[in-house]
Amino acid sequence: MPDYLSVSSLTKYLKLKFDRDPYLERVYLTGQVSNFRKRPSHQYFSLKDEKAVIQATVWAGVYKSLGFELEEGMKINVVGRVQLYEPSGSYSIIIEKAEPDGIGALAIQFEQLKKKLGDEGLFQDKFKQAIPQFARKIGVVTSPSGAVIRDIITTVSRRFPGREIVLYPTKVQGDGAAIEIAQNIRRANERDDLDVLIIGRGGGSIEDLWAFNEEEVVRAIFESRIPIISSVGHETDTTLADFVADRRAATPTAAAELATPVTKLDLLSHLKQQENRMSKAMGNRLVYHRERLEKLVHSVIFRQPERLYDAYLQKLDQLQLRMRQSMFDYKNRGEKQSQVLTQRLLACSPAQKIALYQEKLVQQKRLLRSNTAVIYDQKVSDVKRLANSLLLLDTSRIVARGYALLEQNGRVIDSVHKVKKEENVTIQLRDGHLEVEVKDVKTKEI
């Protein structure tokens, strides 16, 4: 009976084969990136061609050193080793080095960073600063030993002698160059007396010029308060520093010319022209005012100066008449107002009011006496009338005339319906009363 292997045993055996095979320790592959989705650390994707596909892994440290971003569909050349992953039994290539197929990694990185910074708006014209016409101090960020600084010094001295040039010695190539360039740009911005800043270096390959494509340098140029002229490489060379700088110069000499747009000779010539124009203008003004003076000297006013104030004398007389009339009118209005106020004051006098109230008091007394007498007579008449009415209602008088009152329990009985048979009632007579018992009750229709 044959011996059966477990799946893990077979997989482990195959892994040993993969690990020990010298042909799989270093594999060179060309393929197209597929199923790529950028992750925070390690990158996992596929490499494929027309007939096959293999899984690929790039560790985080290796991916950062690639110099470009992987993109879906990008064709790349990779160097790595093939390994088998035991838990799933799948194999993949661990990439140690990669570069775009047919184009350099730096070119890819250049275009990717250019697009990123362009999308952020760092290259827009609205952020560009104007280069001053008369720069007193010019800063230069470049190598102290290169031809760039010598060309700039020569050109500035020729075009505008006496301008001060401040050099910031800077490494412009190799490791750490980008950091040093950005630091010196920020150092220059700490000063208040620099009018313009030139950054640059001579020509070279894309690798030589790469420090001026670094994101840190581009952002330092964008954040600069001082206008920056970029002069990197030759005329055909283009860096991201050229895109973000306020002006780009093809050569260091051109950068110096941009920093001194007006030469000393131009300035002196301009001043001479302005001096001539000013002298001519002053001469014209003197002639003009001399002619005016001549006219004024021979004018009628100077020959008969009294004409100057004739009109004012007449106006003075008119104003005096108007003033007298106004004062007279004001006096009359004051007198009339005083009379009105006097009458109002007299009307408000306490003596007149007292006399008026005394007269009204006498009238009110007379009216009171008259009304009191009328009311008194009326009330006396009413009392007599009421007294007679009361007398008519007096039962004692009714009884005295021979009539009798029938009562029961203090109530007057005025109907046979208020008494019943065999009830006791009281008969009130003129000289006394009788207690009787009702024997019978008979009604009579009235």
Side-chain angles (χ1 to χ4, degrees):
M1 182 177 178
D3 292 332
Y4 290 91
L5 294 175
S6 65
V7 174
S8 58
S9 298
L10 177 60
T11 304
K12 185 174 293 186
Y13 173 77
L14 292 175
K15 180 173 175 22
L16 289 173
K17 285 289 187 181
F18 270 77
D19 293 341
R20 295 177 180 177
D21 191 332
Y23 295 102
L24 299 180
E25 288 182 0
R26 195 165 189 82
V27 178
Y28 297 81
L29 287 183
T30 295
Q32 189 177 14
V33 176
S34 177
N35 297 323
F36 178 77
R37 180 174 57 85
K38 188 174 180 180
R39 293 171 171 80
S41 56
H42 311 308
Q43 306 302 319
Y44 303 96
F45 57 97
S46 302
L47 278 179
K48 68 177 184 178
D49 57 19
E50 295 82 0
K51 297 181 179 179
V53 61
I54 184 174
Q55 301 301 314
T57 301
V58 183
W59 304 128
V62 175
Y63 187 73
K64 289 180 181 179
S65 65
L66 290 182
F68 66 97
E69 296 286 342
L70 291 175
E71 296 178 356
E72 180 72 19
M74 179 186 288
K75 190 173 183 181
I76 59 175
N77 299 325
V78 303
V79 179
R81 55 187 174 84
V82 178
Q83 74 167 11
L84 187 140
Y85 185 59
E86 291 185 60
S88 62
S90 61
Y91 73 97
S92 63
I93 182 168
I94 307 300
I95 296 175
E96 299 171 353
K97 185 179 179 181
E99 63 180 13
D101 182 47
I103 185 171
L106 290 180
I108 290 289
Q109 186 177 355
F110 179 89
E111 293 299 330
Q112 290 177 344
L113 185 57
K114 179 182 174 183
K115 182 179 185 306
K116 172 188 173 183
L117 299 177
D119 292 342
E120 292 183 24
L122 270 66
F123 305 145
Q124 294 184 14
D125 290 339
K126 65 180 181 180
F127 297 119
K128 306 291 185 185
Q129 303 182 74
I131 305 300
Q133 283 190 321
F134 301 99
R136 292 169 298 178
K137 285 189 179 182
I138 301 171
V140 181
V141 176
T142 189
S143 171
S145 59
V148 174
I149 186 61
R150 292 196 300 272
D151 291 345
I152 291 174
I153 292 173
T154 301
T155 304
V156 172
S157 300
R158 172 176 52 83
R159 288 175 59 83
F160 215 123
R163 302 297 91 180
E164 184 178 348
I165 297 177
V166 180
L167 173 63
Y168 290 89
T170 307
K171 183 180 180 181
V172 293
Q173 180 178 338
D175 294 338
I179 297 175
E180 196 168 330
I181 294 169
Q183 287 177 344
N184 282 336
I185 292 174
R186 295 188 179 98
R187 280 182 54 205
N189 275 268
E190 293 174 358
R191 299 181 58 149
D192 296 328
D193 55 349
L194 287 182
D195 300 305
V196 67
L197 188 64
I198 299 174
I199 64 169
R201 57 152 290 152
S205 64
I206 187 172
E207 290 82 2
D208 296 336
L209 306 180
W210 190 252
F212 294 90
N213 289 321
E214 294 286 356
E215 183 174 357
E216 184 173 5
V217 173
V218 176
R219 294 195 181 277
I221 296 173
F222 180 78
E223 295 167 0
S224 174
R225 173 186 51 81
I226 304 171
I228 292 182
I229 300 172
S230 173
S231 175
V232 181
H234 299 301
E235 187 171 358
T236 57
D237 297 322
T238 303
T239 65
L240 295 181
D242 298 329
F243 289 105
V244 73
D246 299 295
R247 291 293 296 274
R248 186 214 176 214
T251 62
T253 300
E257 290 175 351
L258 288 174
T260 55
V262 179
T263 66
K264 189 172 184 179
L265 183 61
D266 293 336
L267 180 60
L268 292 174
S269 176
H270 176 73
L271 291 175
K272 186 63 178 178
Q273 291 176 1
Q274 294 299 318
E275 181 183 5
N276 293 335
R277 290 181 59 188
M278 184 174 65
S279 178
K280 187 176 180 179
M282 289 297 295
N284 293 336
R285 294 299 292 176
L286 287 173
V287 171
Y288 170 74
H289 287 293
R290 188 178 293 112
E291 291 175 353
R292 284 196 63 192
L293 180 60
E294 290 293 331
K295 289 180 181 179
L296 291 174
V297 168
H298 296 92
S299 66
V300 178
I301 296 300
F302 278 94
R303 288 186 282 108
Q304 297 177 356
E306 63 274 6
R307 291 191 179 188
L308 286 172
Y309 52 84
D310 283 348
Y312 291 104
L313 290 175
Q314 184 177 2
K315 188 174 182 179
L316 178 61
D317 291 339
Q318 293 175 354
L319 291 174
Q320 287 177 342
L321 290 175
R322 287 174 60 186
M323 183 179 68
R324 293 192 189 97
Q325 184 63 39
S326 297
M327 291 178 65
F328 180 75
D329 293 342
Y330 183 76
K331 178 174 174 294
N332 288 341
R333 286 198 302 270
E335 290 178 349
K336 290 180 180 179
Q337 189 175 8
S338 176
Q339 291 176 1
V340 171
L341 292 175
T342 302
Q343 294 296 328
R344 290 174 61 185
L345 183 61
L346 291 175
C348 296
S349 173
Q352 288 193 359
K353 285 191 174 184
I354 291 173
L356 179 63
Y357 287 135
Q358 286 179 343
E359 184 177 352
K360 288 180 69 175
L361 181 61
V362 171
Q363 293 176 357
Q364 293 295 329
K365 285 182 178 180
R366 292 174 184 170
L367 183 61
L368 179 61
R369 292 193 191 98
S370 175
N371 290 340
T372 301
V374 171
I375 293 172
Y376 177 77
D377 294 342
Q378 184 179 358
K379 295 300 180 183
V380 170
S381 176
D382 290 344
V383 169
K384 289 181 179 180
R385 179 174 54 78
L386 292 173
N388 291 332
S389 298
L390 288 174
L391 289 175
L392 291 176
L393 297 175
D394 189 359
T395 55
S396 60
R397 291 196 173 192
I398 295 173
V399 174
R401 290 200 302 271
Y403 293 97
L405 290 177
L406 188 62
E407 296 179 346
Q408 187 181 49
N409 299 327
R411 292 184 298 105
V412 176
I413 299 173
D414 56 1
S415 173
V416 294
H417 298 291
K418 293 183 178 181
V419 67
K420 295 179 181 179
K421 185 178 179 179
E422 296 181 355
E423 286 184 345
N424 294 324
V425 297
T426 302
I427 300 175
Q428 184 74 34
L429 298 176
R430 176 174 59 82
D431 53 354
H433 60 275
L434 300 175
E435 297 290 337
V436 296
E437 180 180 344
V438 178
K439 296 296 185 180
D440 192 12
V441 177
K442 295 180 180 181
T443 61
K444 179 182 179 182
E445 296 295 335
I446 298 177

